[in-house]
């Protein structure tokens, strides 16, 4: 099946002899399951027979979502978690289980992920080396110097939209005996599939494009065959599982992922082109830009014609005060911290994702006081343009 059909069909409609088949997966709230014979339960609990026994181990609604995600990401197995952050925690723990307790991580990753590495993993003696993953020489050096058990990166970085050479980094990870974990939230499996490029585990904040409507907090871990069982074991013991209702909403969201994401990418491209010519805009960051520093990786890894639904731009001469004023003037675009929703969202990194980074470090990362990020929604592009235009005009 093609991606557009998989999103609608995979995981759904379990057939059982003689029983009616629901056309969509029901929300199954039961935490406990029993069988006609206790001997069956014994075998299920002993992993000799497949089946449900207890909600922390597996739930039918979650399993349907997990099967869907495994198929979309070309993985071996998936776990639906309560948030994107819990997905990242489980993925990193699975990667480090029987490997050196050191992580080489991209230096431009989601703020809370840096917090997770430094404040949660750090105190348990997991060292972290941050590196620019778009500089392969630097990655090679970091691996040689720190002997990591895991390499962590995002398929598309935030907010400057850099795209590292996952294929090459996967090769380096493999020869160093490290697992490559990739956060694929920004790209979605429609734009790029890191497991096909050699990554071992990918994670999503399902809160974003997968669920897609701003009403679910969730995460997904998709693993290759060597990590799926460790991920499941950790989840059985820690229990950061997604609730069945959120699982249902995420599946419902994914059914329209292909439609939404295509439209969002189209809108982002239109916005990027319009903003590039706007007198109040200094610079636009978008992946379709011919002069993009990672144009080569974009061409190699992205699905043809899909350059992503996120763009960033610098407002000419703006400081914090004038950017906040610009945000207050938006009438339709939502000035919130998320992305991937059907409505267009505008984020100001300085007060949100990059709030806890020192001004000096931010400057070094190329994130200026006048930079804002737009996650295009599915609205008519004319309306998004009109809203940004009136807000920019009166800055
Ligand atoms: C939002 C986000 C996360 C965290 O996900 P939550 O669902 O908020 O826990 C991780 N990585 C990226 C790239 C994100 O955008």
């Amino acid at each position: 099946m093609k991606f557009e059909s998989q999103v609608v069909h995979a995981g759904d409609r379990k057939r059982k002899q003689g029983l009616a088949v629901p056309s969509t997966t029901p929300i199954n709230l039961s935490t406990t399951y029993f069988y006609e014979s206790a001997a069956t339960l014994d075998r299920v609990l002993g992993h000799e027979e497949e089946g449900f026994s207890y909600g922390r181990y597996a739930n039918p609604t979650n399993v349907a979502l997990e099967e869907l995600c495994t198929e979309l990401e070309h993985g071996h197995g998936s776990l639906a978690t309560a948030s994107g952050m819990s997905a990242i925690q489980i993925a990193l723990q699975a990667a480090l289980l029987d490997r050196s307790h050191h992580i080489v991580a991209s230096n431009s990753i989601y703020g809370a992920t840096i917090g997770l590495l430094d404040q949660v993993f750090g105190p348990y003696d997991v060292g972290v080396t941050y590196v620019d993953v778009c500089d392969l020489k630097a990655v090679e050096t970091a691996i040689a110097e720190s002997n990591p058990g895991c390499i962590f990166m995002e398929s598309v970085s935030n907010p400057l939209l850099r795209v590292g050479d996952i294929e090459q980094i996967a090769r380096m990870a493999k020869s160093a005996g490290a697992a490559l974990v990739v956060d694929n939230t920004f790209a979605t499996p429609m734009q790029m599939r890191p497991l096909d490029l050699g990554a071992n585990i990918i994670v999503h904040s399902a809160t974003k494009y997968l669920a897609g409507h701003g009403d679910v907090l969730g995460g997904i871990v998709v693993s290759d065959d060597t990590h799926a069982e460790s991920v499941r074991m950790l989840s059985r013991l820690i229990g950061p599982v997604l609730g069945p209702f959120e699982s249902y909403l995420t599946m419902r969201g994914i059914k329209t992922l292909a439609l939404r994401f295509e439209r969002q990418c189209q809108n982002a491209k239109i916005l990027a082109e319009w903003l590039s010519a706007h007198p109040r805009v200094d610079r636009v960051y978008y992946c379709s830009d011919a002069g993009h520093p990672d144009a080569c990786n974009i061409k190699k890894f992205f699905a043809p014609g899909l350059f992503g639904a996120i763009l960033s731009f610098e407002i000419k001469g703006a400081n914090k005060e004038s950017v906040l004023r610009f945000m207050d003037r938006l009438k339709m675009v939502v000035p919130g911290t998320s992305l991937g929703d059907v409505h267009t969202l505008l984020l100001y990194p300085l007060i949100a994702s990059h709030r806890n980074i020192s001004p000096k470090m931010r400057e070094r990362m190329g994130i200026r006081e006048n930079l804002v990020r737009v996650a295009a929604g599915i609205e008519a592009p004319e309306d998004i343009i009109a809203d940004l235009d009136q807000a920019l005009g009166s800055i």
Side-chain angles (χ1 to χ4, degrees):
M1 265 193 274
K2 294 222 172 210
F3 190 85
E4 289 79 356
S5 316
Q6 284 174 329
V7 290
V8 179
H9 293 282
D12 257 333
R13 291 180 285 279
K14 287 276 169 323
R15 281 161 217 266
K16 258 198 188 153
Q17 204 81 43
L19 293 180
V21 183
S23 69
T24 61
T25 296
I27 303 172
N28 201 316
L29 294 172
S30 186
T31 55
T32 312
Y33 300 82
F34 63 94
Y35 296 84
E36 287 290 329
S37 112
T40 308
L41 181 63
D42 180 31
R43 285 194 299 277
V44 168
L45 286 170
H47 308 298
E48 292 151 38
E49 190 173 320
E50 260 190 48
F52 297 101
S53 56
Y54 185 58
R56 201 176 69 244
Y57 302 158
N59 163 287
T61 313
N62 289 25
V63 165
L65 169 64
E66 288 160 356
E67 281 178 14
L68 169 60
C69 293
T70 300
E71 198 158 312
L72 297 183
E73 285 285 5
H74 295 181
H76 182 81
S78 294
L79 173 75
T81 61
S83 70
M85 290 317 301
S86 58
I88 296 172
Q89 184 200 354
I90 291 269
L92 293 176
Q93 285 183 311
L96 295 180
L97 258 188
D98 46 10
R99 293 192 180 92
S100 138
H101 283 185
H102 194 91
I103 300 173
V104 166
S106 160
N107 60 11
S108 67
I109 48 176
Y110 188 69
T113 309
I114 297 180
L116 180 75
L117 293 172
D118 295 345
Q119 293 164 48
V120 179
F121 282 86
Y124 289 91
D125 290 332
V126 176
V128 185
T129 304
Y130 292 100
V131 69
D132 174 2
V133 290
C134 292
D135 179 348
L136 289 177
K137 268 261 168 333
V139 177
E140 200 170 14
T141 307
I143 292 174
E145 283 175 358
S146 68
N147 179 34
C150 170
I151 298 175
F152 180 86
M153 64 188 286
E154 293 175 1
S155 47
V156 181
S157 84
N158 173 41
L160 300 182
L161 312 170
R162 298 294 306 267
V163 181
D165 189 339
I166 292 188
E167 210 166 25
Q168 202 57 35
I169 294 170
R171 251 179 243 136
M172 292 182 193
K174 194 169 180 197
S175 65
L180 176 61
V181 179
V182 178
D183 182 334
N184 201 30
T185 300
F186 272 39
T188 83
M190 190 163 170
Q191 193 178 343
M192 172 146 90
R193 289 192 189 87
L195 293 175
D196 284 349
L197 302 172
N200 301 101
I201 306 176
I202 67 105
V203 292
H204 278 279
S205 167
T207 314
K208 316 293 169 52
Y209 289 104
L210 300 187
H213 295 73
D215 52 9
V216 175
L217 191 74
I220 303 284
V221 185
V222 190
S223 323
D224 63 10
D225 55 349
T226 54
H227 296 86
E229 197 38 55
S230 307
V231 165
R232 190 51 69 179
M233 177 276 285
L234 287 164
S235 171
R236 275 196 200 106
L237 293 174
I238 305 171
V241 293
L242 189 61
F245 180 57
E246 283 74 15
S247 204
Y248 171 83
L249 283 177
T250 305
M251 259 189 115
R252 184 182 167 95
I254 292 176
K255 286 178 199 296
T256 56
L257 173 65
L259 290 173
R260 285 185 283 112
F261 195 66
E262 189 180 0
R263 173 60 174 256
Q264 286 162 326
C265 289
Q266 269 172 15
N267 278 355
K269 191 155 186 288
I270 293 169
L271 289 175
E273 279 158 16
W274 173 74
L275 284 163
S276 300
H278 198 284
R280 301 226 156 178
V281 172
D282 256 348
R283 180 162 177 195
V284 178
Y285 297 84
Y286 187 58
C287 287
S288 72
D289 183 356
H292 193 290
D294 311 312
C296 183
N297 292 336
I298 287 168
K299 188 158 191 297
K300 233 178 353 184
F301 304 138
F302 282 15
L306 286 184
F307 295 99
I310 296 173
L311 63 138
S312 297
F313 65 96
E314 290 169 353
I315 304 173
K316 195 164 275 174
N319 56 17
K320 182 175 172 184
E321 206 187 345
S322 46
V323 173
L324 294 182
R325 225 167 28 234
F326 159 73
M327 290 168 75
D328 284 341
R329 289 198 162 109
L330 293 168
K331 293 184 174 131
M332 183 188 82
V333 171
V334 178
T337 59
S338 194
L339 62 114
D341 291 338
V342 284
H343 44 265
T344 299
L345 282 153
L346 185 128
L347 169 131
Y348 185 22
L350 191 83
I351 64 162
S353 55
H354 293 69
R355 189 182 184 95
N356 296 322
I357 297 172
S358 72
K360 213 167 145 193
M361 184 64 190
R362 261 200 314 262
E363 189 65 33
R364 210 173 316 143
M365 294 167 87
I367 295 158
R368 307 203 170 86
E369 206 180 14
N370 63 347
L371 182 83
V372 294
R373 183 193 81 190
V374 175
I378 62 168
E379 304 98 328
E382 296 85 346
D383 289 324
I384 311 171
I385 285 177
D387 196 22
L388 292 174
D389 198 33
Q390 64 80 23
L392 279 171
S394 47
I395 239 180

